[in-house]
Amino acid sequence: MKTTDSKNGLLKIENLQVEYITDDARVFAVNGLNLEIEKGETLGLVGETGAGKTTTALSVMRLLPPKVGRVIGGSILLDGIDIIHAGEADMRALRGSLVSMIFQDPMTSLNPVLTIGDQIAEVLIFHDRYNNRTDVNRRVDEILRLVGLSPERKNEYPHQFSGGMKQRVVIAIALACEPKLLLADEPTTALDVTIQAQVLEMMKELQEKLHTAVILITHDLGVVAQTCNRVAIMYAGEIIETGTVDRIFHAKRHHPYTEGLFGSIPDLTKKTRRLNPIDGLMPDPSNLPAGCKFHTRCPKCIDICRTIHPRSSVRDGHSIRCHLEGEGGVPVAGETAGGEQT
Amino acid sequence: MFKYIMKRLFLMIPVIVGISFILFLIMDLTPGDPARAILGDYATQEQIAALREEMGLNDNFFVRYFRYAVNAVQGDFGKSYRTSVPVVEEIYARFPATLQVAFQAIMLSILLGVPIGVVSAVRQYSAIDIVSIATALIFTSIPAFWFGLMLILLFSLKLGWLPAVGADSWKHFIMPSVTLAAAQLATTIRMTRSTMLEVIRQDYIRTAMAKGATRRCVIFKHALRNALLPVVTVLGIGFGNLLGGALIVESVFGISGLGTLMVNSVKSKDAPMLVASVMFAALVGSLVNLGVDVLYTYIDPRVKIQYLRRAKS
Ligand SMILES: Nc1ncnc2c1ncn2[C@@H]1O[C@H](COP(=O)(O)OP(=O)(O)O)[C@@H](O)[C@H]1O
Ligand SMILES: [Mg+2]
């Protein structure tokens, strides 16, 4: 792992803890998550449903559902800004300009009563990118072309577009102000398979053109292999393994959960590169097990796993959070065992 | 759009015809002789028989209805049995007072109800929210005549601020409008609140926030316009109810409007007056509904497409 003061560092999340308070439970959605991303880099964030991926992204945007969701610990530094303690006005200035987020479902992400042109123009106006309406309109046309839509359609409403086209509009909105970081939460899961590839291809092109760093939340390991520089694998609110794509797909040693996901041998040539289902269910985040959170499903579980929460061991930038990795690995200094609050 | 509006106007014709036919039939089936009503208790049998002949009352029901319809199409809705004044004149004289009360009531419920509903939703479960829900609940449950009487007791008899009856100045219209607005206001608050609560949870609201929109922009530009559609529907229906509710309010506050006119026509079996005034009220109601539907298309582009498609088919 890189150090904080790396020149290229863009986002650094340390020991993030997020909970949701619902009527009947406290849900520990994120439990001591550490994540770093450099400028221009693409990080794939992979994990089962309920692992806390969306919650992590929403925390960076500081858009957790008010009153229900809150950050209870840790820090988020984005381009040197302390997200957790920033004022609301400062956050508004960041959202859409320094950091953008694409939500999972394009069908419901756009406002049905505003034209798509208006919805793109709005983000430019919020961030005072242009002084007059003509320049805004010119930029709207430009960005529409960039995402492969005809500028003539800017006066149309979302219901006049297909799912894939809507997601292009959503991407246009997210990238209109050329943010340094894009949080893409399963941007293609809701789309047809054929459209998925097109949209991903377009995102990749744009990202390279604009030098945007991307956190790509996905279930698709094939997508990760094709588009990401690094991968972080998330389980029950923490990162249990992270490393370069090359490492994750080719290293011999893995976290048992990752091995499970990959179906023991990652085979990139196989057609189905979806996550492998693993026996058992993810623990209920309102009632997490002690020790390693994966021990209830882990085929390699040993005594220590049931009681002590493992630290991450790092070898050549490949970090694994597992007791079996303890010998030979270097424990990350200063890292606390998160998620053991009750 | 023009085509759509014309089509809707055209469709009102059968509605009006149907209403007039049914009313005509009901008036015909109820006991009592219009000729006797007109001539009074001291008329002789011969006088009554002569008048019946003159008015064509001895003809078959369908003949009479047809004659009425032909005259009506030419703008002649007959004369009141009671006062011999042409009914159209009477309706025109009475309608403004009713319209004023209904219009003020609807404005009151929009101007108060929508903002209160929005604040209530945005600050769900706050003191403001609880107070406004409670108020809405009370206003829904109080009968209009009782509420009107209480207002009179307080503001006219006790405080002496407002005149109790009549329709001579703007002051006379305050209490009737408030009385009529109460129930509508409650509905508007509840409707605005619940649709706002629903809309606020939508993904596109989160998208707007992710773009860096201010709270105000999110609420008024992104949320309210989406929440307004059901509210407008309720207001459209409400306006019809208000015209009906005017009847009670007019009686309580002694305003001679369309409502009291209808009641009196029923009491005195004044068929031409009743048929024409109900037809008129139905016409106004249909026009308001059409207005609401047209308003939809400005609020929600999806509706416009639907209408245009339907109008074509
Ligand atoms: N608004 C919410 N209220 C309560 N619990 C929530 C809410 N949103 C998410 N959660 C819970 O938090 C956990 C993590 O959810 P999420 O971040 O959406 O996971 P992912 O995106 O990886 O599928 C899940 O157990 C989910 O049920
Ligand atoms: Mg998710």
Side-chain angles (χ1 to χ4, degrees):
Chain A
M1 268 190 198
K2 292 262 174 351
T3 47
T4 28
D5 36 33
S6 153
K7 245 204 335 260
N8 286 325
L10 177 63
L11 175 71
K12 185 175 170 68
I13 304 178
E14 268 187 329
N15 194 25
L16 180 70
Q17 292 165 309
V18 183
E19 67 174 17
Y20 291 103
I21 299 179
T22 63
D23 287 340
D24 35 46
R26 273 175 83 184
V27 179
F28 298 101
V30 176
N31 307 294
L33 176 129
N34 296 290
L35 201 61
E36 282 184 52
I37 186 160
E38 294 182 357
K39 289 186 177 130
E41 180 184 44
T42 304
L43 173 87
L45 187 58
V46 182
E48 284 167 290
T49 300
K53 307 181 295 294
T54 302
T55 306
T56 305
L58 287 174
S59 306
V60 174
M61 297 294 288
R62 224 177 67 192
L63 283 178
L64 289 168
K67 290 188 189 141
V68 177
R70 63 187 185 109
V71 172
I72 48 176
S75 68
I76 301 173
L77 275 181
L78 175 63
D79 212 23
I81 299 158
D82 179 355
I83 295 289
I84 291 171
H85 299 105
E88 190 48 40
D90 294 334
M91 281 314 297
R92 274 204 304 272
L94 296 186
R95 292 183 196 126
S97 80
L98 178 65
V99 54
S100 287
M101 183 160 173
I102 297 174
F103 298 101
Q104 191 165 340
D105 189 356
M107 304 314 271
T108 55
S109 289
L110 294 170
N111 193 325
V113 303
L114 301 174
T115 65
I116 59 138
D118 272 349
Q119 295 189 59
I120 299 171
E122 205 179 41
V123 67
L124 298 167
I125 294 165
F126 288 156
H127 298 293
D128 288 324
R129 284 305 155 100
Y130 300 93
N131 295 325
N132 58 63
R133 197 62 215 207
T134 348
D135 288 346
V136 169
N137 288 340
R138 197 173 305 136
R139 173 68 181 159
V140 170
D141 291 356
E142 188 184 45
I143 195 94
L144 275 173
R145 253 181 249 118
L146 220 53
V147 297
L149 291 172
S150 158
E152 276 136 45
R153 300 198 61 182
K154 70 177 167 190
N155 291 325
E156 292 181 20
Y157 292 91
H159 68 269
Q160 291 163 284
F161 292 82
S162 67
M165 283 168 138
K166 274 187 207 161
Q167 196 62 311
R168 283 168 191 265
V169 174
V170 170
I171 292 168
I173 292 171
L175 295 179
C177 291
E178 307 195 354
K180 286 188 182 168
L181 177 63
L182 175 66
L183 307 167
D185 190 0
E186 307 188 28
T188 57
T189 345
L191 304 177
D192 287 347
V193 186
T194 44
I195 315 268
Q196 281 184 6
Q198 290 171 14
V199 170
L200 278 168
E201 186 57 32
M202 185 203 78
M203 273 182 69
K204 195 177 167 189
E205 265 169 37
L206 283 177
Q207 183 216 349
E208 278 159 12
K209 200 178 211 161
L210 306 174
H211 307 292
T212 310
V214 177
I215 296 184
L216 181 65
I217 299 175
T218 178
H219 282 154
D220 192 329
L221 294 176
V223 168
V224 171
Q226 280 165 20
T227 54
C228 298
N229 308 110
R230 281 200 303 126
V231 191
I233 292 162
M234 198 164 174
Y235 186 81
E238 58 184 359
I239 305 294
I240 50 100
E241 178 162 355
T242 175
T244 59
V245 166
D246 200 44
R247 273 270 166 182
I248 298 290
F249 283 91
H250 299 295
K252 287 208 179 59
R253 297 188 71 93
H254 284 299
H255 191 285
Y257 177 64
T258 314
E259 280 170 14
L261 283 184
F262 280 36
S264 62
I265 318 147
D267 184 356
L268 288 183
T269 55
K270 262 209 301 203
K271 265 217 165 143
T272 51
R273 295 177 199 137
R274 295 251 150 194
L275 297 189
N276 233 42
I278 301 171
D279 287 347
L281 290 174
M282 218 188 62
D284 174 3
S286 60
N287 187 19
L288 290 169
C292 173
K293 293 181 193 66
F294 185 59
H295 85 252
T296 50
R297 295 164 80 185
C298 185
K300 299 181 178 171
C301 178
I302 52 177
D303 277 349
I304 189 172
C305 303
R306 289 185 238 276
T307 48
I308 296 174
H309 184 247
R311 298 179 158 208
S312 293
S313 324
V314 185
R315 229 177 272 164
D316 305 331
H318 181 183
S319 138
I320 299 174
R321 188 186 281 275
C322 178
H323 286 303
L324 298 175
E325 292 300 312
E327 56 311 339
V330 191
V332 177
E335 191 177 272
T336 55
E340 278 167 358
Q341 70 286 96
T342 39
Chain B
M1 201 69 222
F2 177 75
K3 230 169 112 183
Y4 171 73
I5 293 174
M6 290 316 287
K7 189 178 163 192
R8 284 282 302 266
L9 287 175
F10 186 74
L11 282 175
M12 280 180 202
I13 296 172
V15 174
I16 300 292
V17 171
I19 287 175
S20 66
F21 182 81
I22 292 168
L23 280 169
F24 211 83
L25 185 64
I26 292 172
M27 290 311 276
D28 195 64
L29 292 176
T30 49
D33 183 353
R36 177 170 285 281
I38 292 169
L39 292 172
D41 291 340
Y42 302 108
T44 60
Q45 282 301 329
E46 291 78 39
Q47 284 174 310
I48 291 171
L51 189 61
R52 283 188 65 89
E53 194 56 43
E54 188 193 321
M55 288 170 71
L57 289 177
N58 295 326
D59 294 334
N60 169 296
F61 169 78
F62 292 98
V63 174
R64 278 181 288 131
Y65 178 73
F66 187 72
R67 193 159 52 220
Y68 178 79
V70 169
N71 287 336
V73 168
Q74 293 163 349
D76 176 11
F77 290 85
K79 286 179 183 162
S80 163
Y81 287 167
R82 202 161 49 97
T83 59
S84 303
V85 179
V87 295
V88 176
E89 267 174 40
E90 186 73 27
I91 289 170
Y92 279 172
R94 300 273 201 133
F95 184 57
T98 303
L99 186 67
Q100 188 176 348
V101 175
F103 183 74
Q104 285 177 350
I106 205 99
M107 287 316 281
L108 204 63
S109 59
I110 294 172
L111 294 179
L112 284 177
V114 172
I116 292 175
V118 169
V119 172
S120 228
V122 172
R123 305 203 185 292
Q124 194 185 8
Y125 304 135
S126 69
I128 296 181
D129 183 29
I130 292 165
V131 169
S132 70
I133 298 173
T135 315
L137 199 68
I138 293 168
F139 277 167
T140 322
S141 347
I142 321 183
F145 74 90
W146 186 83
F147 185 52
L149 289 175
M150 289 301 121
L151 288 181
I152 292 178
L153 275 181
L154 181 63
F155 291 101
S156 304
L157 300 184
K158 202 141 192 152
L159 299 171
W161 291 351
L162 295 169
V165 290
D168 305 324
S169 72
W170 61 271
K171 276 189 176 178
H172 287 92
F173 282 98
I174 295 178
M175 287 193 295
S177 305
V178 170
T179 308
L180 195 54
Q184 184 64 30
L185 176 66
T187 318
T188 310
I189 291 176
R190 287 205 320 237
M191 196 71 196
T192 310
R193 178 178 183 274
S194 66
T195 51
M196 272 302 274
L197 280 176
E198 203 185 306
V199 168
I200 285 173
R201 305 217 162 84
Q202 299 296 313
D203 286 352
Y204 54 79
I205 296 301
R206 210 173 41 177
T207 306
M209 294 205 288
K211 283 154 93 175
T214 60
R215 204 177 151 80
R216 201 209 246 128
C217 170
V218 170
I219 293 167
F220 291 103
K221 184 172 177 188
H222 289 270
L224 187 57
R225 241 188 104 181
N226 281 285
L228 229 41
L229 201 62
V231 174
V232 169
T233 313
V234 166
L235 286 174
I237 297 167
F239 195 81
N241 290 343
L242 290 189
L243 285 179
L247 204 143
I248 295 163
V249 171
E250 282 169 16
S251 313
V252 172
F253 292 96
I255 297 172
S256 55
L258 210 54
T260 41
L261 180 66
M262 286 183 209
V263 176
N264 292 337
S265 313
V266 173
K267 280 186 194 155
S268 59
K269 210 168 150 41
D270 192 346
M273 190 61 96
L274 183 73
V275 175
S277 50
V278 173
M279 264 163 61
F280 182 75
L283 185 69
V284 172
S286 309
L287 286 175
V288 168
N289 272 337
L290 176 58
V292 166
D293 284 355
V294 171
L295 196 59
Y296 279 176
T297 64
Y298 286 96
I299 297 173
D300 191 336
R302 287 166 299 183
V303 177
K304 186 168 191 166
I305 303 270
Q306 274 172 24
Y307 279 175
L308 294 181
R309 215 174 283 149
R310 218 181 296 158
K312 253 184 250 155
S313 61

